[in-house]
């Protein structure tokens, strides 16, 4: 198995300053929000790599950078050896663009209500002048809908069916990698299981690679081969699934696991985690997690830990062993 | 047995539309006792929020209660209107909504919002109300409550805002709190804080809590009993451990099996085929029968039995009896 996606030192900084005139009058400084900070990881072909984290951890931004919706500030994302942000050879860019598709969180907002399902699914192919005859019908059947649905409009479908249409659209261009940004968060549990099963089936049938972005630990545990945990834009821990769930090494990962509600934990009395995610515009110095960390020492307040390997795990904590 | 704080009897809510009358809540009955958390679960459109709104008198027209009753400490409240209902809300019943930003007034400080509620419902002076407001904020774990009482909602984070909403719901010392998806908009670590807070307040103050959510994990950890709703009806009602580990209604069992469980790994999830029917297109008989693998002709013809038919647990003609595993 070889890495199909390589993310190196990826950083994205958003300028969230007030307009120029306000800054001059109010003497407020520029405000820069570091959404993604020096993230590096690799995704192997035909595997599921999951990014988990709470809101503001930068997981969606990484997904957007990967498909080219947002350019990185520093660092690079290589898909099949091609860096979308800097590559100048048009043919190479086009080839990679077709290889990587995205499924969004909200199936109600990501389908054009004025287009028929056929047009929606055909668009990625027809825009390049490809042959779309029978394509929508075939894909609809592949994702568990019926061929006659192609003439309908998105409002005629339920949330789970719409997400199937989104998946069909993502498959139309014949991609090898699909970035899924919270694909089931908007769905009910019984429908979520249908969509997750469909995604697993398609992965086997078509040899797909997924970048699976989610905040839901149980879903991630179900789907992923390898998991990266993000906190305040940085990767704090990365490990194969079983390793991560059996022996989380970073205190944040441990906190996240303890806090997640469990179906088998009747009346469990948890000692809830303390504090909240700090402001990403003024992150704390040193390790970003140290204000909430139960085991922080002086070193954590001063020096930002780098990811270092421990066995199969990579962890960014001075104290982990 | 003592009188339950909330007693809902055969509640039916209807919405007249051009295409006919919809019944988002159909023959729902349950009790909640003091110091008890009743979880109400179901998928979107199951009628769980509608039930909560009907209890507290927040149904938007044209939705209305057409039959059944809502008893608060034995007193019927479903027919109250206007001023008398307004007095009761806040004093006897508190409500916590899903989105804390939209349920606070952005133009008033949280102190003003709290003291307004306290002055309205309790017989105290302005300064006593202020002290009570600070105590209420303290109680829900807002640090430096005395300083922060003059802050506006936008100055708080999502989790802190939800704490303010909880303080607001509890400041007039109600007997019943309806929490409608109180943690859905929050992150996992903050969710754990809010759930722990709700449990503590329920226990310490002896408040009856109706916790409406779609998250089975939250229910398992917080609730004492759980009511499972499907297409406006109660499918199952029972102690939380019983319902989750030993579901009697096929829908509950399917719901449990389709929830990914962390310890199960990559195995395929069991799925319930299809989706919840729309209210304007309910199937005949038991509303679950088209999705049910145990359905028999009787299920297609007769509506599901009342809960009492199956030890008061499940509204099903052919309830599961053998032990079903959570993930089978």
């Amino acid at each position: 198995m070889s890495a199909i996606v390589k993310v190196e030192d990826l950083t994205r900084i958003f300028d969230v300053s007030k307009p120029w005139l306000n800054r001059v009058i109010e003497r407020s400084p520029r405000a820069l929000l570091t959404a993604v900070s020096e993230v590096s990881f690799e995704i192997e072909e035909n595997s599921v790599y999951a990014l988990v984290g709470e809101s503001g951890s930068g997981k969606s931004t990484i997904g957007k950078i990967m498909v080219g919706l947002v350019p990185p500030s520093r660092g690079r994302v290589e898909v099949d050896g091609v860096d979308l942000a800097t590559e100048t050879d048009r043919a190479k860019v086009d080839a990679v663009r077709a290889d990587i598709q995205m499924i969004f969180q909200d199936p109600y907002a990501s389908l054009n209500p004025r287009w028929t399902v056929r047009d929606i699914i055909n668009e990625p192919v027809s825009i390049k002048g490809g042959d779309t005859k029978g394509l929508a019908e075939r894909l609809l059947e592949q994702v568990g809908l019926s061929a006659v649905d192609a003439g309908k409009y998105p409002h005629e479908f339920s949330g789970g069916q719409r997400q199937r249409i989104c998946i069909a659209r993502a498959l139309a261009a014949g991609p090898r990698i699909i970035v899924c940004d919270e694909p089931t968060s908007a769905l009910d549990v019984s429908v979520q299981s249908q969509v997750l099963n469909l995604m697993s089936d398609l992965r086997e049938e078509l040899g797909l690679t997924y970048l699976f972005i989610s905040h839901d630990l149980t879903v991630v545990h179900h789907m992923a081969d390898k998991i990266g945990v993000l906190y305040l834009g940085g990767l704090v821990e990365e490990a194969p699934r079983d390793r991560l769930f059996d022996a989380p090494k970073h205190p944040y990962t441990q906190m996240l696991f303890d806090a997640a509600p469990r179906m088998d934990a009747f009346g469990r009395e948890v000692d809830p985690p303390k504090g909240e995610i700090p402001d990403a515009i003024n992150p704390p110095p040193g390790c970003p997690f140290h204000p909430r960390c139960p085991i922080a020492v002086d070193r954590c307040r001063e020096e930002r830990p780098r990811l270092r390997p421990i066995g199969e795990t990579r962890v960014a904590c001075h104290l982990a062993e | 047995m003592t009188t339950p704080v909330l007693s809902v009897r055969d509640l039916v809510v209807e919405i007249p539309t051009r295409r006919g009358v919809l019944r988002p809540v159909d023959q729902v009955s349950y009790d909640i006792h003091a110091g008890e958390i009743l979880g109400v679960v179901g998928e979107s459109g199951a009628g769980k929020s509608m039930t909560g709104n009907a209890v507290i008198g927040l149904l938007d027209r044209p939705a209305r209660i057409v039959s059944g009753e809502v008893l608060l400490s034995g007193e019927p409240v479903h027919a109250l209107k206007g001023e008398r209902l307004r007095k009761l809300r806040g004093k006897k019943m508190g409500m916590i909504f899903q989105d804390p930003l939209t349920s606070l007034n952005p133009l008033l400080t949280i102190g003003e919002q709290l003291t307004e509620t306290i002055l309205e419902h309790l017989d105290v002076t302005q300064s006593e109300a202020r002290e009570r407001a600070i105590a209420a904020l303290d109680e829900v774990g807002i640090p430096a409550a005395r300083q922060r009482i003059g802050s506006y909602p936008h100055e708080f984070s999502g989790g802190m805002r939800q704490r303010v909403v909880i303080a607001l719901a509890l400041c007039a010392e109600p007997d019943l709190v309806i929490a409608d998806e109180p943690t859905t908009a929050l992150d996992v670590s903050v969710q754990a804080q809010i759930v722990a807070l709700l449990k503590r307040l329920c226990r310490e103050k002896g408040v009856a809590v109706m916790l409406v959510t779609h998250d089975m994990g939250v229910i398992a950890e917080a609730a004492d009993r759980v009511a499972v709703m499907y297409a406006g009806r109660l499918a199952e009602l029972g102690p939380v451990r019983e319902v989750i580990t030993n579901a009697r209604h096929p829908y509950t069992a399917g719901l449990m099996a389709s929830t990914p469980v962390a310890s199960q790994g990559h195995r395929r999830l069991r799925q319930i085929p299809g989706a919840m029917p729309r209210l304007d297109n309910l199937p005949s008989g038991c509303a679950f029968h088209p999705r049910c693998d145990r359905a028999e002709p009787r299920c297609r013809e007769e509506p599901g039995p009342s809960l009492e038919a199956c030890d008061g647990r499940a509204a099903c003609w052919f309830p599961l009896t053998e032990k079903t595993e959570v993930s089978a």
Side-chain angles (χ1 to χ4, degrees):
Chain A
M1 294 242 279
S2 60
I4 186 167
V5 177
K6 272 189 197 156
V7 176
E8 277 170 35
D9 227 14
L10 193 67
T11 300
R12 171 69 210 196
I13 298 168
F14 290 106
D15 188 343
V16 291
S17 314
K18 289 186 175 173
W20 171 81
L21 195 59
N22 291 58
R23 287 210 308 275
V24 172
I25 295 170
E26 297 166 13
R27 293 174 189 280
S28 54
R30 265 187 179 280
L32 297 175
L33 187 151
T34 309
V36 179
S37 160
E38 297 170 17
V39 169
S40 304
F41 60 89
E42 293 183 353
I43 305 179
E44 307 219 314
E45 191 151 13
N46 198 15
S47 75
V48 180
Y49 189 96
L51 287 173
V52 283
E54 300 181 273
S55 37
S57 62
K59 51 194 192 305
S60 292
T61 308
I62 294 178
K64 285 181 187 158
I65 294 173
M66 195 172 284
V67 293
L69 288 173
V70 172
S73 304
R74 281 198 301 277
R76 47 202 271 121
V77 178
E78 272 185 18
V79 180
D80 264 348
V82 177
D83 180 358
L84 277 177
T86 58
E87 181 62 54
T88 47
D89 184 346
R90 194 76 215 160
K92 275 189 183 171
V93 171
D94 278 353
V96 169
R97 281 256 168 94
D99 268 352
I100 185 159
Q101 294 290 324
M102 187 153 182
I103 302 168
F104 297 91
Q105 172 171 4
D106 186 352
Y108 291 84
S110 53
L111 296 173
N112 188 333
R114 289 165 172 260
W115 286 17
T116 62
V117 168
R118 179 182 290 109
D119 293 341
I120 290 171
I121 295 176
N122 285 345
E123 192 193 15
V125 176
S126 61
I127 205 153
K128 294 206 168 123
D131 178 22
T132 60
K133 194 165 182 301
L135 176 74
E137 286 78 2
R138 185 172 58 76
L139 285 169
L140 281 172
E141 282 181 353
Q142 192 163 16
V143 298
L145 295 172
S146 109
V148 295
D149 290 333
K152 294 184 185 169
Y153 287 88
H155 75 263
E156 298 174 63
F157 297 90
S158 68
Q161 292 171 323
R162 280 177 206 224
Q163 203 58 299
R164 288 174 193 264
I165 296 171
C166 292
I167 293 173
R169 172 177 61 184
L171 293 177
R176 294 163 62 200
I177 307 156
I178 297 186
V179 175
C180 325
D181 190 354
E182 304 265 13
T184 59
S185 311
L187 306 177
D188 280 317
V189 182
S190 72
V191 180
Q192 165 175 288
S193 62
Q194 297 169 3
V195 172
L196 292 179
N197 282 342
L198 171 66
M199 290 176 63
S200 302
D201 293 346
L202 290 172
R203 174 192 168 194
E204 271 174 36
E205 279 168 36
L206 306 172
L208 294 172
T209 305
Y210 291 124
L211 174 69
F212 194 92
I213 297 167
S214 180
H215 70 281
D216 188 329
L217 289 168
T218 50
V219 171
V220 164
H221 188 278
H222 181 75
M223 291 295 287
D225 297 309
K226 203 170 196 186
I227 298 162
V229 182
L230 289 165
Y231 186 74
L232 216 63
L235 210 51
V236 295
E237 182 165 359
E238 181 203 61
R241 179 192 53 161
D242 291 334
R243 182 55 52 93
L244 187 80
F245 278 84
D246 291 345
K249 294 201 183 300
H250 197 283
Y252 174 66
T253 318
Q254 291 163 1
M255 188 203 87
L256 211 55
F257 287 178
D258 288 342
R262 293 212 317 262
M263 264 183 33
D264 52 356
F266 302 107
R268 183 172 66 133
E269 297 293 334
V270 284
D271 191 16
K274 294 172 187 58
E276 293 173 27
I277 295 190
D279 183 4
I281 299 172
N282 295 304
C287 171
F289 187 60
H290 86 254
R292 302 172 74 185
C293 182
I295 56 168
V297 295
D298 285 341
R299 187 179 174 200
C300 306
R301 286 178 258 280
E302 286 147 21
E303 188 190 336
R304 181 171 170 162
R306 308 215 136 262
L307 271 184
R308 60 195 168 92
I310 302 178
E312 287 177 280
T313 307
R314 289 196 299 153
V315 60
C317 178
H318 293 309
L319 302 169
E321 51 199 36
Chain B
M1 217 153 109
T2 50
T3 321
V5 174
L6 176 72
S7 184
V8 176
R9 289 275 153 267
D10 298 325
L11 187 71
V12 179
V13 174
E14 285 187 352
I15 307 177
T17 69
R18 266 178 296 179
R19 291 198 196 159
V21 177
L22 308 183
R23 278 197 174 187
V25 179
D26 192 5
Q27 301 279 339
V28 168
S29 302
Y30 57 82
D31 295 334
I32 311 179
H33 293 269
E36 182 186 46
I37 300 182
L38 175 78
V40 179
V41 283
E43 301 179 271
S44 16
K48 48 193 199 304
S49 292
M50 200 62 114
T51 313
N53 289 350
V55 167
I56 203 166
L58 278 180
L59 285 180
D60 284 325
R61 296 222 290 168
R64 62 201 167 91
I65 298 176
V66 292
S67 68
E69 47 188 9
V70 179
L71 304 173
L72 196 63
S73 307
E75 303 278 325
V77 296
H78 53 275
L80 292 184
K81 283 201 172 59
E83 188 63 13
R84 289 183 59 197
L85 177 63
R86 204 173 64 83
K87 280 278 178 204
L88 199 72
R89 265 189 224 141
K91 176 76 194 92
K92 293 271 186 192
M93 302 187 267
M95 180 105 188
I96 301 166
F97 296 94
Q98 174 171 355
D99 184 355
L101 189 55
T102 50
S103 49
L104 292 169
N105 186 335
L107 299 178
L108 297 178
T109 65
I110 59 162
E112 285 167 334
Q113 301 187 42
L114 282 162
T115 46
E116 183 193 8
T117 312
I118 295 169
L119 285 171
E120 176 71 35
H121 295 295
L122 301 178
D123 187 20
V124 292
T125 65
Q126 182 79 35
S127 61
E128 280 170 349
R130 196 182 139 81
E131 286 306 312
R132 272 180 181 262
I134 292 169
L137 290 176
D138 235 6
E139 179 108 65
V140 295
I142 291 187
R146 197 167 290 276
Q147 282 83 48
R148 302 222 65 180
I149 194 163
S151 306
Y152 288 90
H154 75 266
E155 298 175 67
F156 291 88
S157 66
M160 284 295 156
R161 261 182 228 139
Q162 195 61 294
R163 286 168 194 262
V164 173
V165 173
I166 293 174
L168 205 51
L170 290 171
C171 64
E173 295 170 353
D175 302 326
L176 170 72
V177 169
I178 298 173
D180 190 355
E181 304 266 8
T183 61
T184 308
L186 306 175
D187 278 319
V188 179
S189 64
V190 182
Q191 166 172 288
Q193 296 169 353
I194 298 293
V195 168
L197 173 67
L198 271 178
K199 277 166 76 175
R200 180 170 64 81
L201 293 174
C202 169
R203 198 178 317 134
E204 286 175 6
K205 293 177 173 278
V207 184
V209 178
M210 174 174 166
L211 177 65
V212 177
T213 178
H214 66 279
D215 189 328
M216 292 308 301
V218 170
I219 290 284
E221 288 190 9
D224 301 304
R225 286 188 305 141
V226 57
V228 182
M229 291 192 72
Y230 187 79
R233 298 180 70 115
L234 279 186
E236 185 155 1
L237 177 69
V240 65
R241 183 184 294 267
E242 278 290 297
V243 171
I244 288 183
T245 56
N246 202 2
R248 305 287 287 276
H249 195 288
Y251 172 64
T252 321
L255 202 59
M256 299 306 153
S258 56
T259 308
V261 175
S263 50
Q264 299 294 330
H266 270 288
R267 58 197 285 190
R268 220 178 142 74
L269 293 170
R270 212 180 81 180
Q271 56 190 52
I272 310 178
M276 173 118 54
R278 291 164 54 107
L279 284 175
D280 59 1
N281 191 16
L282 281 182
S284 65
C286 169
F288 186 62
H289 88 253
R291 303 176 72 188
C292 183
D293 53 7
R294 298 167 63 87
E296 303 212 7
R298 187 177 187 184
C299 305
R300 277 182 277 280
E301 287 148 19
E302 287 179 70
S306 65
L307 287 178
E308 283 70 36
C310 178
D311 322 330
R313 269 285 298 281
C316 180
W317 292 118
F318 307 102
L320 300 157
T321 44
E322 77 278 27
K323 188 158 174 60
T324 43
E325 279 181 40
V326 176
S327 53

